[in-house]
Amino acid sequence: MPGSAQHTVVISPAADIGPAAQHGIEMLGRALAEAGVSLWTDPLGETARRPDDDELRIVVAGRTAPAILALERQEWLLYNTGEPGPNGFYLSMLPGRILVVTGADDAGVLYGCQELARIVTRHGGIPEDLDIGQTPDLALRGPAIGLQRTEVEPPRQVYEYPITPDRFEWFYDRDLWLEVLETLLAQRANVIYLWSGHPFASFVQTEQFPEALEVTPEELALNRETLAWLVAEAGRRGIRLFLMFYNIHIPLPFARHHDIPLHQPRPTELTSRYTRAVLTDFVTDFPQVGLYVCLGEVLQGDLYGTEWFTETILPAVEDGVAAAGVEEPPPILLRAHSLDPKPVIEATGSRYPALHTEAKYNGESLTTWNPRGKWQQTHRYLASLGGIHVVNIHILADLEPFRYGSVTFIQRSVQAIRHRLGSNGLHLYPLFYWEWPLSPDRVQPRLRQLDRDWIWFEAWHRYAWKSDRDADAERDYWTRRLAEQFGSERAGAAALETLEAMGQIAPRLVRRLGITEGNRQTLSLGMTLSQLTNPARHRAYEDLWLSHAPAGERLEEFVATEVAGGVHVGETPLDVVEEAVRFASRAGASVEGGRAAVRSEASEYERLASDAHAIALIADFYDLKVRAAVEILCARATFDGDHRALAGRLREAVTLVEASVAVYRRLAELTSRTYWYANSMQTPQRKIPFPNGKEFGHWEQCLPEYEAELEHLRANVEILARGDLPPAVAQRPALPGRFCPIDLTVHAGGEAFEVAEGSALFDDVDEPVIALAEELTGLRGIRFTKSAVLGGEASVEFSLAEEGHLLVGYFKDASPTWLQVPDLETNTHADDRGGLTPVLTSAVTVSWNPSVDVHAFRYEAGRHTFAPGGGAYVILGAVAADQEFTGRSVSATEREDSFDWLYENPIRSKA
């Protein structure tokens, strides 16, 4: 029987224990009291005194305490499983009835007390034989919580939300925070990453720039009080807060006061002074809060990131540390996002030892436990630097809005983080990030993610603590945990098998079929035929399949190999849709098999069953749609110029698409009862399958688009079957005529020129335009010196006489010599002025240069600066705000070869 049944327990804490260890002692004391153990406290001296005959002494101290050092010297205390590392603990029952609870740091002692309290609860007292040591695999472990909303608040842009009670009621809910903190402590998470655009103007008012404050004085006082309370309560549970901020973002009142744009792509003397002042004040007042720095997106990080970090951010932090009078500076976590972090790290050197790094795991989705390619190289490089390198499980765009609990997938991912990527930190997004703390389930009152998605958080944190665990033991563990929820072992086992099978489907589909792993695609809403058969048109992001997927083939590669009679390599599109249907069937059978055994939380079990049904319909939809795409691509690959001969093969595609739409109708009907929306980011950044995440945020909103796609395909195939040609093929489309120009004035940074055949796109080389889209002829453009801009930066100050579009020409070459079109994978603001989709492709042919695509960016009347970053480009004019764009390819070959005419309305094409 445990020794505590025979002895009074004396808890002897070291005099210098921190608040986390003290919280652990309180936890231990409650557990002992509930077990009926008599206890009292006797402070620990320089040595651990043997207890009286009727006592058992628990020594609670960190490893640097004199009493622990003495026990180690005397070899009274030995570490049979290794000395505890950061956050690690050791429990050892020593001869003489001394039980040592020690750790490498304050949090380690807390976890040691927590472990002992669990043992006491489990055994009803303290066992006489204890020798347990644990150190976590990952040094940082915890969730991201966004001070973000589902929609943008103009004139503010994405990420920009002042912190106020009307926007973030939950931030001020201390009961909710205590529940979150206790949950994270139970899971041994030790960090919370709070995300914002520019949070500092909601927490401090700097004397130098009082106009920057974004909240009222009363809200400022409440924010400071709340943050100080949260820092203290988190610290008591071994949890540090990190505050994430983007650069260069400035407060809206500050921008208006100084008449400058909200987003600053490069440092200026004013923005540097402001940022340094507000950051210094914040660090002075909250030195315990870690700083999480994004140098990309708005800031042209590869050009100015090093300068901004070393000349503005670091001096501000150093000044704040000095003013606060603290010995330990706050850790800084540098994001490897939208820039190469290596120059920043090299320039920083040893100046700031508490500098750590972060990079995304599978981009902005969960796609594989085997990341590879250049993303793997990035992680390995950052992990090799010696600090903590955090892997970011980011956004989860492919998993929204459903539950996710494939614990095997999660375990393998953490093992990859630790062993293959060599990393030692976890940053975990919730499953519906933009609407924390609520889930998207269509129930009242709204469910909380903390409750609905408990297994998501617990699994990641469990394996972040220790990833290499026995598979059979883990299956038993999770069966027990789910049995606790649903009331029986049979129901728990069924729920686990359902979650495991469901969790394999979305990752497979997105990695092999998707346009992107990023924020701009909502996988669960489906994909169009054009996106499947002509992904280049939709700017498919190649890192998705080169870094975030196993080796394999995309649809076009698969069909090319089929037609050539070749041997397929790796994972194929048909593999993933077949596997998705198979996993969906397994999930459905499992959840149905456990329904009769449910004894508690029956409504949540039904919601799990509904998720399984919805995901099965999604798997069926993709299976049918992909098989239709294969038929279309095979027809395209074997096309010999006779369009009428296509009808036979395309009829099968029509049949498959008809079946896919029927499945989607069932999906829309089901989800109309179960979910408010599919995606938590309801902004124009969502582009796939249809643009704008609010207008196309639910399956019911998307269904008419898929029905129209089917009708267009059917109509075009019927035309071919009659022996005729669809209008898009039969008629050469009439040229739309020249664009309508507006006045464009150049103030600095380039020279004006007339856009015409024979003109040069650069002013210092004789490389004339040899072919030009009619729409561009005669426009007034802006060109630069080629020798200055190749691989460098060219910005221009200009003004428009009225609202309109600036036409920017991008050379079609992926090398850094040329300016690249911005993308939403690395810059959420890339589409703030439009411009992601070309309005003309292959519009300009130039001697000795790549051809040019044209993109249109919206601008108001007045003066502006266009500073897009490094690489050569040309401005091809400015046109009216109501200018219609066809998006046409000037190359007839490009236009016809895509077969996208199949999905166009033949009546509208004819008109």
Side-chain angles (χ1 to χ4, degrees):
M1 177 60 196
S4 56
Q6 304 159 8
H7 300 96
T8 297
V9 170
V10 180
I11 298 179
S12 294
D16 62 348
I17 62 169
Q22 182 58 50
H23 189 72
I25 291 172
E26 293 168 6
M27 295 171 62
L28 176 58
R30 287 193 296 271
L32 288 167
E34 290 170 4
V37 177
S38 299
L39 68 151
W40 59 287
T41 301
D42 179 31
L44 182 65
E46 295 291 308
T47 60
R49 185 170 60 84
R50 286 176 64 99
D52 294 340
D53 289 344
D54 59 346
E55 295 176 341
L56 183 150
R57 185 178 299 276
I58 303 177
V59 172
V60 182
R63 286 199 61 209
T64 59
I68 298 297
L69 292 173
L71 289 172
E72 291 176 354
R73 282 195 307 271
Q74 295 163 340
E75 296 190 334
W76 200 347
L77 172 60
L78 299 169
Y79 301 106
N80 292 324
T81 58
E83 299 176 356
N87 282 194
F89 65 84
Y90 208 89
L91 310 179
S92 185
M93 183 71 79
L94 306 184
R97 298 186 310 285
I98 295 177
L99 174 55
V100 170
V101 180
T102 190
D105 46 35
D106 195 40
V109 177
L110 163 65
Y111 296 138
C113 291
Q114 178 193 55
E115 183 69 16
L116 183 55
R118 291 173 175 174
I119 291 170
V120 168
T121 299
R122 190 161 58 246
H123 293 278
I126 301 175
E128 295 181 352
D129 183 21
L130 269 180
D131 194 73
I132 301 171
Q134 294 182 28
T135 295
D137 287 346
L138 305 187
L140 290 180
R141 313 165 300 279
I145 296 178
L147 287 159
Q148 304 287 312
R149 294 168 64 83
T150 59
E151 298 182 44
V152 176
E153 298 179 0
R156 292 183 171 91
Q157 297 173 349
V158 179
Y159 307 141
E160 296 170 350
Y161 305 95
I163 300 166
T164 58
D166 62 314
R167 291 182 176 89
F168 303 108
E169 181 181 1
W170 59 266
F171 179 72
Y172 306 90
D173 186 340
R174 296 191 177 188
D175 289 338
L176 172 62
W177 271 122
L178 288 175
E179 189 174 352
V180 170
L181 294 173
E182 285 297 328
T183 298
L184 294 179
L185 172 56
Q187 297 170 3
R188 291 181 180 160
N190 68 342
V191 63
I192 295 173
Y193 308 92
L194 284 174
W195 279 59
S196 181
H198 181 79
F200 306 112
S202 293
F203 289 114
V204 295
Q205 182 174 26
T206 178
E207 290 184 7
Q208 291 178 254
F209 299 98
E211 71 275 12
L213 187 66
E214 288 209 278
V215 296
T216 67
E218 295 76 19
E219 289 168 340
L220 175 65
L222 179 60
N223 287 348
R224 291 172 60 82
E225 176 189 332
T226 302
L227 183 60
W229 174 86
L230 180 57
V231 168
E233 288 298 326
R236 292 181 63 230
R237 294 160 178 83
I239 298 169
R240 183 191 288 274
L241 265 61
F242 275 80
L243 194 58
M244 191 275 177
F245 61 102
Y246 286 87
N247 292 270
I248 303 172
H249 285 222
I250 55 176
L252 179 61
F254 180 83
R256 285 175 167 169
H257 181 86
H258 294 279
D259 194 24
I260 59 176
L262 266 173
H263 290 172
Q264 298 286 310
R266 51 187 174 183
T268 67
E269 185 270 341
L270 175 62
T271 57
S272 181
R273 282 197 299 116
Y274 164 70
T275 302
R276 182 164 178 174
V278 74
L279 192 52
T280 295
D281 287 352
F282 181 84
V283 174
T284 300
D285 294 344
F286 300 98
Q288 311 96 323
V289 176
L291 299 170
Y292 189 2
V293 183
C294 180
L295 296 175
E297 297 213 4
V298 172
L299 179 67
Q300 293 166 4
D302 284 329
L303 294 173
Y304 304 112
T306 299
E307 172 190 341
W308 185 251
F309 188 73
T310 59
E311 298 180 17
T312 296
I313 291 178
L314 280 186
V317 176
E318 290 163 346
D319 290 347
V321 169
V326 295
E327 294 183 3
E328 181 184 354
I332 295 178
L333 193 59
L334 175 66
R335 292 193 74 196
H337 172 65
S338 195
L339 87 164
D340 178 2
K342 189 173 182 179
V344 181
I345 294 164
E346 290 177 346
T348 304
S350 60
R351 173 177 172 182
Y352 201 86
L355 177 63
H356 310 294
T357 57
E358 172 266 310
K360 296 174 185 175
Y361 178 58
N362 292 155
E364 297 181 342
S365 290
L366 186 65
T367 65
T368 180
W369 58 77
N370 282 320
R372 60 192 180 96
K374 70 180 184 181
W375 283 61
Q376 175 180 261
Q377 295 169 10
T378 295
H379 284 293
R380 287 178 171 177
Y381 162 70
L382 295 172
S384 73
L385 297 176
I388 296 173
H389 176 57
V390 175
V391 174
N392 180 351
I393 313 301
H394 196 78
I395 292 292
L396 295 320
D398 63 324
L399 305 185
E400 289 184 330
F402 302 111
R403 290 151 180 78
Y404 190 92
S406 177
V407 294
T408 300
F409 200 116
I410 292 170
Q411 181 180 16
R412 291 171 181 170
S413 295
V414 181
Q415 288 171 325
I417 289 170
R418 182 184 176 213
H419 298 302
R420 292 189 55 247
L421 304 182
S423 303
N424 57 352
L426 173 71
H427 171 292
L428 178 66
Y429 262 68
L431 286 171
F432 214 66
Y433 167 75
W434 297 92
E435 203 177 13
W436 176 268
L438 302 177
S439 85
D441 299 78
R442 197 178 185 93
V443 296
Q444 292 291 356
R446 294 284 296 274
L447 302 181
R448 303 184 312 172
Q449 295 184 57
L450 189 66
D451 303 319
R452 188 195 84 154
D453 299 324
W454 66 268
I455 197 169
W456 170 260
F457 295 107
E458 184 173 323
W460 283 101
H461 293 146
R462 176 177 176 82
Y463 298 122
W465 182 268
K466 192 65 63 180
S467 62
D468 295 332
R469 300 175 187 257
D470 177 74
D472 292 337
E474 288 306 287
R475 184 167 54 253
D476 291 345
Y477 172 82
W478 291 112
T479 297
R480 288 195 305 273
R481 291 288 288 118
L482 287 160
E484 292 170 9
Q485 181 176 19
F486 295 122
S488 74
E489 182 178 351
R490 180 181 164 195
L496 178 60
E497 180 61 23
T498 302
L499 289 164
E500 289 277 37
M502 283 166 48
Q504 297 287 343
I505 295 169
R508 280 172 161 77
L509 293 176
V510 74
R511 73 194 186 199
R512 193 53 54 200
L513 307 171
I515 295 295
T516 177
E517 36 66 29
N519 238 337
R520 63 186 171 105
Q521 176 165 5
T522 304
L523 179 83
S524 63
L525 291 176
M527 292 175 67
T528 67
L529 285 168
S530 177
Q531 288 157 4
L532 289 168
T533 62
N534 188 18
R537 175 181 175 181
H538 305 277
R539 303 189 65 206
Y541 186 60
E542 68 175 13
D543 276 350
L544 170 59
W545 55 92
L546 296 181
S547 288
H548 307 310
E553 299 170 353
R554 296 276 286 176
L555 264 169
E556 291 171 297
E557 297 172 279
F558 171 80
V559 168
T561 303
E562 282 282 292
V563 169
V567 177
H568 295 291
V569 175
E571 184 179 73
T572 73
L574 291 188
D575 288 341
V576 298
V577 293
E578 288 168 2
E579 290 166 359
V581 171
R582 192 161 57 248
F583 279 118
S585 176
R586 185 187 304 174
S590 297
V591 78
E592 290 301 320
R595 180 177 268 119
V598 174
R599 299 291 178 266
S600 58
E601 293 199 37
S603 58
E604 176 58 21
Y605 194 91
E606 289 306 310
R607 286 189 286 267
L608 174 64
S610 176
D611 275 8
H613 186 194
I615 290 172
L617 291 172
I618 290 169
D620 286 342
F621 172 83
Y622 274 101
D623 180 49
L624 293 163
K625 203 75 176 278
V626 166
R627 294 181 188 280
V630 168
E631 294 298 323
I632 293 168
L633 287 170
C634 284
R636 190 176 85 183
T638 56
F639 176 58
D640 61 2
D642 182 3
H643 288 89
R644 296 169 181 82
L646 297 170
R649 185 145 212 166
L650 293 177
R651 282 199 188 97
E652 178 61 22
V654 172
T655 300
L656 290 164
V657 176
E658 286 173 341
S660 77
V661 171
V663 168
Y664 204 89
R665 288 193 188 102
R666 293 165 57 200
L667 176 62
E669 194 279 328
L670 171 63
T671 54
S672 70
R673 305 189 307 271
T674 57
Y675 280 102
W676 295 106
Y677 21 72
N679 47 296
S680 62
M681 190 182 197
Q682 294 158 35
T683 71
Q685 278 75 16
R686 289 284 167 114
K687 303 290 186 185
I688 309 296
F690 308 108
N692 197 314
K694 185 172 180 62
E695 294 179 9
F696 296 99
H698 195 279
W699 296 266
E700 288 183 303
Q701 294 169 306
C702 297
L703 175 59
E705 301 297 314
Y706 289 121
E707 291 174 330
E709 178 187 61
L710 168 60
E711 290 307 311
H712 298 163
L713 175 67
R714 181 189 286 137
N716 281 307
V717 173
E718 287 175 356
I719 291 171
L720 292 173
R722 293 198 304 265
D724 296 325
L725 294 178
V729 176
Q731 303 168 3
R732 180 179 177 85
L735 295 178
R738 297 184 180 184
F739 286 155
C740 179
I742 61 174
D743 287 342
L744 168 65
T745 303
V746 185
H747 300 291
E751 73 165 23
F753 77 107
E754 181 182 354
V755 180
E757 290 187 6
S759 296
L761 297 189
F762 300 100
D763 64 9
D764 59 339
V765 291
D766 184 19
E767 296 171 345
V769 172
I770 58 177
L772 180 69
E774 180 178 335
E775 295 94 319
L776 302 174
T777 301
L779 294 179
R780 177 182 171 86
I782 304 172
R783 62 188 177 188
F784 307 94
T785 301
K786 188 174 186 179
S787 58
V789 299
L790 286 179
E793 179 199 16
S795 61
V796 60
E797 291 185 23
F798 69 95
S799 59
L800 299 182
E802 59 187 272
E803 181 183 2
H805 300 274
L806 189 72
L807 302 182
V808 179
Y810 289 86
F811 293 83
K812 297 171 72 169
D813 189 306
S815 74
T817 298
W818 308 99
L819 179 68
Q820 301 300 308
V821 179
D823 63 68
L824 288 167
E825 281 73 22
T826 57
N827 182 359
T828 303
H829 307 283
D831 201 36
D832 286 350
R833 293 187 177 275
L836 285 189
T837 302
V839 298
L840 290 169
T841 63
S842 300
V844 187
T845 304
V846 192
S847 295
W848 313 108
N849 288 283
S851 61
V852 177
D853 288 349
V854 181
H855 295 245
F857 295 86
R858 296 184 302 271
Y859 279 93
E860 308 78 27
R863 187 161 177 161
H864 305 278
T865 298
F866 184 70
Y873 66 100
V874 63
I875 292 175
L876 293 167
V879 299
D882 60 356
Q883 177 69 58
E884 292 187 5
F885 300 115
T886 63
R888 77 179 184 97
S889 172
V890 178
S891 164
T893 302
E894 285 184 15
R895 183 172 63 253
E896 188 170 295
D897 283 353
S898 73
F899 270 40
D900 273 6
W901 51 266
L902 277 171
Y903 323 129
E904 296 176 5
N905 185 339
I907 297 175
R908 189 167 58 199
S909 298
K910 185 175 182 179

